[in-house]
Amino acid sequence: MARETVLRQQVYEQIKHDIITCKLSPGEPLSENQFLDRFKVSKTPIREALTSLVQDGLVEYTPNRGFMVTPISVSDIQEIFEARIFFETELFRLAVKKISDAEIEDLEKQSRVDGEAKSADYAEKFLESNRKFHTALAAAGGNQRLLWYYDTLMNEAQRLFYMDISHHSKEFQWGHGHEGIINALRSRDEIAGVTVIRAALEDARKRVLGI
């Protein structure tokens, strides 16, 4: 039983990774059969992993048609950014009152990404660093329920980040833009932090939508 649980988790994590990084494209059909040779497992852990991804909102299931990667529409993009603005500004308001100087230093370190920006794996390092930064900032607020909802939202948001990079690969400017958030945390300036977050997310929204 323990081995089956480990196998299911490994399959789940890898398929999830491929969806978030857009190696499996929005709207792409999925089946247990396509993963059999890759993972060298039976259909059961694959089906269980896909079912878990349905619960995460990254996969859709339709009777008689099966599984597919959840598509992303313009409306979805708008909603994801609206949700991020809501969560990240409110989580910042909680964090700025509770975060320690040591935690702020850790956030600053988290924003640094090692490696060559033109290398093949840099995008993944960059976006993983970005996610860890925002998750750590959210955790500093001390509300575990909000953190759980926010983590689920970030699964969807990460796909938009990869779409942004792939669509604007030539002009994409590498940089998290976290300096303003860190400065606002250091000065305990709630208004400045919220303003920075709103501006950064609005810029990202426009870029993803091609506005």
Side-chain angles (χ1 to χ4, degrees):
M1 183 64 70
R3 182 174 180 275
E4 292 176 358
T5 301
V6 170
L7 284 175
R8 189 200 69 80
Q9 187 65 25
Q10 288 175 342
V11 173
Y12 165 82
E13 293 292 348
Q14 189 57 62
I15 298 175
K16 178 181 176 180
H17 174 270
D18 289 352
I19 292 172
I20 288 174
T21 58
C22 295
K23 292 175 183 175
L24 292 170
S25 304
E28 183 173 337
L30 302 171
S31 70
E32 294 97 332
N33 290 335
Q34 78 186 81
F35 297 112
L36 289 176
D37 289 339
R38 177 180 175 185
F39 294 118
K40 308 299 182 184
V41 297
S42 67
K43 287 186 177 182
T44 300
I46 297 172
R47 188 179 304 112
E48 290 175 346
L50 291 173
T51 300
S52 293
L53 288 163
V54 170
Q55 296 171 354
D56 292 342
L58 294 173
V59 169
E60 291 183 357
Y61 177 78
T62 305
N64 302 319
R65 296 183 62 182
F67 298 98
M68 75 170 179
V69 179
T70 301
I72 300 176
S73 66
V74 170
S75 176
D76 292 327
I77 293 171
Q78 296 280 24
E79 288 188 1
I80 289 169
F81 276 105
E82 286 174 0
R84 282 196 69 194
I85 289 171
F86 175 81
F87 272 96
E88 291 186 21
T89 55
E90 293 306 313
L91 287 165
F92 180 87
R93 288 189 174 99
L94 291 174
V96 74
K97 299 170 185 175
K98 301 177 181 180
I99 195 167
S100 67
D101 291 341
E103 287 174 316
I104 295 172
E105 291 300 320
D106 288 340
L107 283 175
E108 188 170 33
K109 292 176 183 177
Q110 187 62 64
S111 287
R112 300 170 191 157
V113 185
D114 296 326
E116 171 55 48
K118 294 182 180 180
S119 65
D121 64 343
Y122 189 82
E124 194 159 337
K125 288 181 180 179
F126 178 87
L127 292 175
E128 184 60 25
S129 169
N130 182 72
R131 177 166 186 157
K132 286 180 178 179
F133 174 92
H134 285 287
T135 300
L137 178 57
N143 188 310
Q144 292 301 310
R145 286 175 175 79
L146 283 177
L147 180 61
W148 185 86
Y149 287 117
Y150 179 67
D151 189 60
T152 301
L153 172 64
M154 286 300 284
N155 287 332
E156 296 184 287
Q158 286 286 89
R159 286 209 290 169
L160 299 188
F161 294 152
Y162 277 93
M163 289 169 60
D164 184 12
I165 291 173
S166 62
H167 292 164
H168 304 92
S169 57
K170 292 183 179 179
E171 70 270 23
F172 191 85
Q173 298 296 312
W174 294 105
H176 289 310
H178 294 160
E179 296 86 358
I181 296 174
I182 292 171
N183 290 337
L185 288 169
R186 284 203 173 105
S187 60
R188 311 294 167 172
D189 191 332
E190 179 180 314
I191 294 175
V194 168
T195 300
V196 168
I197 291 168
R198 284 185 175 276
L201 289 174
E202 181 60 20
D203 286 344
R205 182 188 70 83
K206 290 179 179 179
R207 196 167 56 242
V208 171
L209 289 171
I211 298 175

